[in-house]
Structure formats: structure tokens, C-alpha cells
Amino acid sequence: MTHYVGMKSTNGQSGFIDFRSDTVTKPSSEMKQAAMDCVLGDDVYGEDPTVNELEEKMATLLEKEAALFLPTGSMSNLVSLLAHCGRGEEILVGDKYHIYRDEANGASVLGGIAMDPIKTDVFGALDIHDIIKAIKPNDSHCSITKLLCLENTVAGCVQNQKDIDIIATTAKKSDLAIHLDGARLFNAAVAQDVSISTLVKNVDTVSICLSKGLGAPAGSVMVGPKKLVNYARRQRKLLGGGMRQIGIIAACCLYGIEHNVKQLKHDHIKTKRLSSELSKISQLGINLDMVQTNMMFIHPDRDEAEALSTFLYERKILIGGQNSPRMVVHLDISEDDIESTISAFNEFYQK
Ligand SMILES: *Cc1c(COP(=O)(O)O)cnc(C)c1O
């Protein structure tokens, strides 16, 4: 088994300009200091003051009742789905979304929950008519449609908030609950220059990753009504995700929220610079309309892709997987790194 099919690895070496993901950031010394200085307790007993502070902070920021700290975004999504749905019930989810494609079908494997994938457009958006059509009738042949899962950002694309609000309120009228996978929701908020709470007004539960653009070494948070969050807390324990003096990580997350949200704007500016320069190389087939936050995709010719990624690797530049490689900008990529990457691409294509 490979960790990631078709992706090169650092093989433990340092000094790479690593565009594979924004998860690769290392905690800064200030972030590590925050972990050193925090007050700890046993979080399974609800006694870790730093975790409690993080959960309260996230609930307040999103203007929801409660929050729950989890080790990963996948577990945060999973406990949310388990809180909403029982066995034989069904979620509607975008066919490109992480919950459907990239979480090893945890909700189905562990929760007996069916997933019906709904077509998404090139920007990752759903059409309300497709959603309504996919809601099953009250008929013994069918699973019971319970939940709609949205995602923002999708492959770096910010979802149109008016559309999200219409979809959410319409789905609610059909008795669906709404979960938002907001792994990179802070990027969506910063890109639109709005508060993050405005993006979650019409959804019930939200999952947010703090180990991506905000630079924490691990950690996600599920946010929603008290009743669902309490149920999710039980599911977290069941899944083996109840951690003890985990304030040491929550302190890094708090540091990320306090210091690194504003800088996401710079990640977005760097991504714009990189994409607009690389879009001059026609062989890369870059769609600039899709570059909206900290992520871009390139589409080198099939027979050239391997040579390109090897050429970059030799210059200590790492890009994402094989088909349509992904490039993600984050805290550990500087303006100089962007310029040397542009030069490396130009050098490859001028040969
Ligand atoms: C990263 C990500 C997750 C969660 O991933 P983990 O690696 O489990 O933290 C969930 N949804 C989306 C859209 C993501 O990008």
C-alpha cells in the first residue's frame, strides 16, 4: 500500500518548497512556545482548560452553541455524520467532496449510513434541483434521506454564499439537516473579506481544520447545536479519539486562530502571482477562474508530467499527485519560493 499514489516524497530530507498540501507546515517557534506555556488537564474528563478555551472560542466565532476538538478533519466529519444519521439513513453529498471521495467511506463502513453522490460543477457547486430530485420518497424500497453535506472551499474554490443559503434553506424545508465540511472555511472567509459566522448561518453543523492554512500540527473542530455536539463527543470516544492532556495541541490551534488567519490573504496573493505567471505556459492548461484561494491545479501533458515533476524534484520543489497535479500555498512558502518555482517551470518549458 502507498500513502499517496503517484506523489513524490521528501524521504525525510528538509529544505523542500513543498506545494503538495497546506497540511505540511511545521509549527513556528512561537506556536511551539504557546504549547509549552499552556495549562493542561484531562480532556476526557472535560478538564483541559486549553481545549475548553479552544472549543468556546470556535463556538463563539461561528455563532453556534458548542464545539468539539478532534484529532483530524475526517474524524470531525465522521462524528458529525454519526450524530445526524443512524443505520439505513442517507446523506446527499457532492460527488467531488472529501466526505464522499477521501474519507475511506467511514460513514458507511462504521455507521451503516448510505451516501448518494450529487453532481458538482467545475467549481464544486451543487444544483438545488439535483438535490431535491435525490431526496428519497417515504417508500420501503428506499433509504431515509436525512442530511445534506456541503463543502467550502472545494478544490480551493469559494462557494457562492447566496447559492449556499438558498440550497440550505430549501433543503431544510424538505426536513434535511445540513453539515458543512469547512476544512478550509477560514480561506473562504478571508477571500470574501467577511466574518466566518456569515458563512455558516444556515447550516447545522460545521467541521473546520486547524492543521491546514493556520499551521497547527494537528486538530479540527466540529461546531453546532449542544445536543449534536454532545452526541458527537460520545462518538469521538467510541472511535478512540478521546485524548488526555491534548491542550498541548489545542494551544497550537489557538495560536493559529489568533495569529495566522490574517496571513491567509498573503497565501492567496502568492497563489495569484504563481498562477498568473504559470498560466503563460499554455501547456499547463491553467484555469485562472478556479484559482480563488491558496490552491491551483496544473494539467501538463500526460507524457510530460513525470519529467516535469522529476525536474522540479531535483530543484527541491514538490508538487501534488499525477493527473492534474495540485499546488497549495501555505505559511512555509515565501515570496522567494514562489519566484524560484516560476523560474523552474519556465526553465523546464523553454528546453
Ligand atoms: C483535509 C480535508 C479534510 C480532513 O482531512 P484530515 O486529513 O482528516 O484532517 C476534510 N475535508 C476537506 C475538504 C479537506 O480538505
Side-chain angles (χ1 to χ4, degrees):
M1 194 188 73
T2 37
H3 288 88
Y4 238 119
V5 175
M7 190 133 88
K8 290 189 165 50
S9 140
T10 64
N11 287 319
Q13 293 174 58
S14 60
F16 277 94
I17 305 174
D18 193 346
F19 288 101
R20 290 173 302 170
S21 178
D22 43 9
T23 56
V24 300
T25 53
K26 312 272 200 317
S28 64
S29 43
E30 293 84 1
M31 185 180 273
K32 286 187 207 160
Q33 193 59 47
M36 297 280 283
D37 294 343
C38 75
V39 190
L40 298 172
D42 189 323
D43 181 49
V44 174
Y45 297 162
E47 291 172 3
D48 190 303
T50 309
V51 172
N52 293 342
E53 184 187 339
L54 173 64
E55 290 178 346
E56 278 159 31
K57 181 159 198 122
M58 287 299 289
T60 306
L61 260 181
L62 273 76
E63 296 178 21
K64 301 279 182 205
E65 280 177 11
L68 178 68
F69 185 50
L70 293 120
T72 65
S74 296
M75 197 189 283
S76 179
N77 279 330
L78 179 56
V79 296
S80 304
L81 305 186
L82 293 173
H84 284 288
C85 302
R87 303 188 74 80
E89 294 181 338
E90 175 191 68
I91 69 176
L92 308 180
V93 54
D95 59 4
K96 278 206 283 274
Y97 293 177
H98 202 272
I99 286 175
Y100 182 62
R101 284 220 312 213
D102 297 306
E103 296 180 9
N105 280 313
S108 305
V109 175
L110 300 171
I113 301 166
M115 290 197 241
D116 191 357
I118 311 293
K119 179 178 85 229
T120 44
D121 72 12
V122 64
F123 300 107
L126 298 167
D127 183 324
I128 185 63
H129 303 102
D130 296 333
I131 295 166
I132 298 296
K133 252 192 288 177
I135 298 174
K136 310 302 176 288
N138 183 7
D139 175 323
S140 60
H141 295 79
C142 304
S143 48
I144 300 157
T145 313
K146 250 314 194 22
L147 178 71
L148 171 65
C149 289
L150 304 174
E151 190 176 296
N152 198 9
T153 61
V154 183
C157 295
V158 177
Q159 298 305 291
N160 181 296
Q161 197 54 35
K162 262 199 196 120
D163 293 346
I164 291 280
D165 290 334
I166 291 169
I167 285 173
T169 46
T170 312
K172 261 186 205 161
K173 279 185 200 140
S174 303
D175 286 333
L176 298 191
I178 321 285
H179 172 70
L180 172 66
D181 178 358
R184 295 188 178 84
L185 196 62
F186 279 109
N187 293 85
V190 166
Q192 298 171 95
D193 198 18
V194 295
S195 72
I196 196 162
S197 64
T198 61
L199 305 181
V200 301
K201 270 214 172 76
N202 294 302
V203 307
D204 299 295
T205 53
V206 189
S207 168
I208 294 187
C209 287
L210 304 166
S211 57
K212 292 184 172 168
L214 302 189
S220 283
V221 177
M222 175 236 184
V223 191
K226 258 192 195 126
K227 195 172 160 209
L228 287 173
V229 170
N230 285 341
Y231 190 79
R233 189 177 293 276
R234 183 178 267 276
Q235 299 302 313
R236 183 186 70 175
K237 192 75 183 77
L238 179 150
L239 294 168
M243 300 177 288
R244 304 294 176 171
Q245 287 72 34
I246 200 61
I248 204 155
I249 298 291
C252 295
C253 294
L254 276 167
Y255 183 92
I257 295 164
E258 276 154 29
H259 296 91
N260 294 340
V261 173
K262 276 203 197 116
Q263 75 74 37
L264 290 173
K265 185 175 69 198
H266 299 290
D267 291 349
H268 298 173
I269 293 168
K270 286 175 200 164
T271 313
K272 275 257 142 56
R273 162 87 187 146
L274 181 66
S275 58
S276 71
E277 286 304 308
L278 296 190
S279 70
K280 295 173 188 163
I281 303 169
S282 62
Q283 295 97 313
L284 290 176
I286 294 170
N287 180 352
L288 285 179
D289 291 339
M290 286 186 65
V291 186
Q292 302 178 5
T293 54
N294 68 331
M295 202 180 285
M296 56 174 283
F297 292 83
I298 58 173
H299 309 278
D301 286 346
R302 257 172 170 246
D303 44 351
E304 219 163 29
E306 187 54 37
L308 171 65
S309 96
T310 303
F311 181 89
L312 295 171
Y313 190 74
E314 284 161 358
R315 283 149 189 81
K316 295 209 111 180
I317 298 167
L318 266 171
I319 59 174
Q322 248 163 1
N323 304 319
S324 311
R326 182 173 90 155
M327 298 181 74
V328 189
V329 174
H330 50 72
L331 273 168
D332 292 354
I333 289 186
S334 67
E335 281 174 22
D336 286 348
D337 292 339
I338 297 288
E339 297 312 315
S340 35
T341 302
I342 294 166
S343 305
F345 269 93
N346 282 330
E347 201 187 321
F348 179 82
Y349 281 101
Q350 270 156 25
K351 275 193 307 187

PDB file of all heavy atoms in Angstrom, residues 100-112:
ATOM      1  N   TYR A 100     -17.202  12.181   0.502  1.00  0.00           N
ATOM      2  CA  TYR A 100     -17.565  11.090  -0.405  1.00  0.00           C
ATOM      3  C   TYR A 100     -16.340  10.369  -0.963  1.00  0.00           C
ATOM      4  O   TYR A 100     -16.345   9.154  -1.106  1.00  0.00           O
ATOM      5  CB  TYR A 100     -18.426  11.634  -1.552  1.00  0.00           C
ATOM      6  CG  TYR A 100     -18.880  10.544  -2.497  1.00  0.00           C
ATOM      7  CD1 TYR A 100     -19.696   9.507  -2.037  1.00  0.00           C
ATOM      8  CD2 TYR A 100     -18.464  10.519  -3.825  1.00  0.00           C
ATOM      9  CE1 TYR A 100     -20.086   8.488  -2.887  1.00  0.00           C
ATOM     10  CE2 TYR A 100     -18.867   9.512  -4.678  1.00  0.00           C
ATOM     11  CZ  TYR A 100     -19.672   8.497  -4.201  1.00  0.00           C
ATOM     12  OH  TYR A 100     -20.055   7.477  -5.038  1.00  0.00           O
ATOM     13  N   ARG A 101     -15.288  11.140  -1.263  1.00  0.00           N
ATOM     14  CA  ARG A 101     -14.166  10.546  -2.012  1.00  0.00           C
ATOM     15  C   ARG A 101     -12.922  10.209  -1.186  1.00  0.00           C
ATOM     16  O   ARG A 101     -12.126   9.369  -1.570  1.00  0.00           O
ATOM     17  CB  ARG A 101     -13.737  11.523  -3.129  1.00  0.00           C
ATOM     18  CG  ARG A 101     -14.673  11.542  -4.287  1.00  0.00           C
ATOM     19  CD  ARG A 101     -13.960  11.632  -5.605  1.00  0.00           C
ATOM     20  NE  ARG A 101     -12.929  12.661  -5.640  1.00  0.00           N
ATOM     21  CZ  ARG A 101     -12.617  13.360  -6.723  1.00  0.00           C
ATOM     22  NH1 ARG A 101     -13.271  13.155  -7.842  1.00  0.00           N
ATOM     23  NH2 ARG A 101     -11.660  14.246  -6.681  1.00  0.00           N
ATOM     24  N   ASP A 102     -12.732  10.931  -0.085  1.00  0.00           N
ATOM     25  CA  ASP A 102     -11.414  10.873   0.564  1.00  0.00           C
ATOM     26  C   ASP A 102     -11.439  10.496   2.040  1.00  0.00           C
ATOM     27  O   ASP A 102     -10.499  10.800   2.764  1.00  0.00           O
ATOM     28  CB  ASP A 102     -10.716  12.232   0.404  1.00  0.00           C
ATOM     29  CG  ASP A 102     -10.454  12.566  -1.048  1.00  0.00           C
ATOM     30  OD1 ASP A 102      -9.833  11.739  -1.728  1.00  0.00           O
ATOM     31  OD2 ASP A 102     -10.901  13.637  -1.503  1.00  0.00           O
ATOM     32  N   GLU A 103     -12.509   9.878   2.502  1.00  0.00           N
ATOM     33  CA  GLU A 103     -12.544   9.501   3.913  1.00  0.00           C
ATOM     34  C   GLU A 103     -12.837   8.006   4.080  1.00  0.00           C
ATOM     35  O   GLU A 103     -13.426   7.583   5.081  1.00  0.00           O
ATOM     36  CB  GLU A 103     -13.527  10.419   4.676  1.00  0.00           C
ATOM     37  CG  GLU A 103     -13.003  11.845   4.623  1.00  0.00           C
ATOM     38  CD  GLU A 103     -13.837  12.902   5.334  1.00  0.00           C
ATOM     39  OE1 GLU A 103     -14.784  12.567   6.052  1.00  0.00           O
ATOM     40  OE2 GLU A 103     -13.496  14.086   5.148  1.00  0.00           O
ATOM     41  N   ALA A 104     -12.376   7.237   3.074  1.00  0.00           N
ATOM     42  CA  ALA A 104     -12.460   5.774   3.126  1.00  0.00           C
ATOM     43  C   ALA A 104     -13.882   5.297   3.436  1.00  0.00           C
ATOM     44  O   ALA A 104     -14.065   4.230   4.021  1.00  0.00           O
ATOM     45  CB  ALA A 104     -11.455   5.206   4.135  1.00  0.00           C
ATOM     46  N   ASN A 105     -14.869   6.102   3.069  1.00  0.00           N
ATOM     47  CA  ASN A 105     -16.285   5.770   3.288  1.00  0.00           C
ATOM     48  C   ASN A 105     -16.604   5.428   4.744  1.00  0.00           C
ATOM     49  O   ASN A 105     -17.405   4.525   5.028  1.00  0.00           O
ATOM     50  CB  ASN A 105     -16.716   4.624   2.369  1.00  0.00           C
ATOM     51  CG  ASN A 105     -17.016   5.135   0.972  1.00  0.00           C
ATOM     52  OD1 ASN A 105     -17.710   6.137   0.813  1.00  0.00           O
ATOM     53  ND2 ASN A 105     -16.469   4.492  -0.037  1.00  0.00           N
ATOM     54  N   GLY A 106     -15.973   6.156   5.646  1.00  0.00           N
ATOM     55  CA  GLY A 106     -16.135   5.885   7.079  1.00  0.00           C
ATOM     56  C   GLY A 106     -17.580   5.873   7.541  1.00  0.00           C
ATOM     57  O   GLY A 106     -17.972   5.014   8.341  1.00  0.00           O
ATOM     58  N   ALA A 107     -18.389   6.795   7.035  1.00  0.00           N
ATOM     59  CA  ALA A 107     -19.780   6.877   7.494  1.00  0.00           C
ATOM     60  C   ALA A 107     -20.537   5.596   7.128  1.00  0.00           C
ATOM     61  O   ALA A 107     -21.358   5.108   7.909  1.00  0.00           O
ATOM     62  CB  ALA A 107     -20.474   8.092   6.880  1.00  0.00           C
ATOM     63  N   SER A 108     -20.236   5.033   5.952  1.00  0.00           N
ATOM     64  CA  SER A 108     -20.894   3.796   5.532  1.00  0.00           C
ATOM     65  C   SER A 108     -20.313   2.594   6.270  1.00  0.00           C
ATOM     66  O   SER A 108     -21.043   1.742   6.769  1.00  0.00           O
ATOM     67  CB  SER A 108     -20.728   3.583   4.025  1.00  0.00           C
ATOM     68  OG  SER A 108     -21.209   4.710   3.326  1.00  0.00           O
ATOM     69  N   VAL A 109     -18.976   2.545   6.352  1.00  0.00           N
ATOM     70  CA  VAL A 109     -18.308   1.395   6.971  1.00  0.00           C
ATOM     71  C   VAL A 109     -18.677   1.302   8.453  1.00  0.00           C
ATOM     72  O   VAL A 109     -19.027   0.238   8.956  1.00  0.00           O
ATOM     73  CB  VAL A 109     -16.772   1.509   6.816  1.00  0.00           C
ATOM     74  CG1 VAL A 109     -16.061   0.385   7.559  1.00  0.00           C
ATOM     75  CG2 VAL A 109     -16.377   1.514   5.343  1.00  0.00           C
ATOM     76  N   LEU A 110     -18.600   2.411   9.142  1.00  0.00           N
ATOM     77  CA  LEU A 110     -18.765   2.383  10.602  1.00  0.00           C
ATOM     78  C   LEU A 110     -20.167   2.749  11.058  1.00  0.00           C
ATOM     79  O   LEU A 110     -20.573   2.356  12.146  1.00  0.00           O
ATOM     80  CB  LEU A 110     -17.739   3.318  11.257  1.00  0.00           C
ATOM     81  CG  LEU A 110     -16.281   2.951  10.958  1.00  0.00           C
ATOM     82  CD1 LEU A 110     -15.346   4.033  11.457  1.00  0.00           C
ATOM     83  CD2 LEU A 110     -15.923   1.625  11.598  1.00  0.00           C
ATOM     84  N   GLY A 111     -20.900   3.507  10.243  1.00  0.00           N
ATOM     85  CA  GLY A 111     -22.206   3.985  10.697  1.00  0.00           C
ATOM     86  C   GLY A 111     -23.390   3.389   9.963  1.00  0.00           C
ATOM     87  O   GLY A 111     -24.536   3.683  10.307  1.00  0.00           O
ATOM     88  N   GLY A 112     -23.133   2.547   8.942  1.00  0.00           N
ATOM     89  CA  GLY A 112     -24.241   1.997   8.162  1.00  0.00           C
ATOM     90  C   GLY A 112     -25.035   3.075   7.450  1.00  0.00           C
ATOM     91  O   GLY A 112     -26.224   2.936   7.182  1.00  0.00           O
TER      92      GLY A 112
END
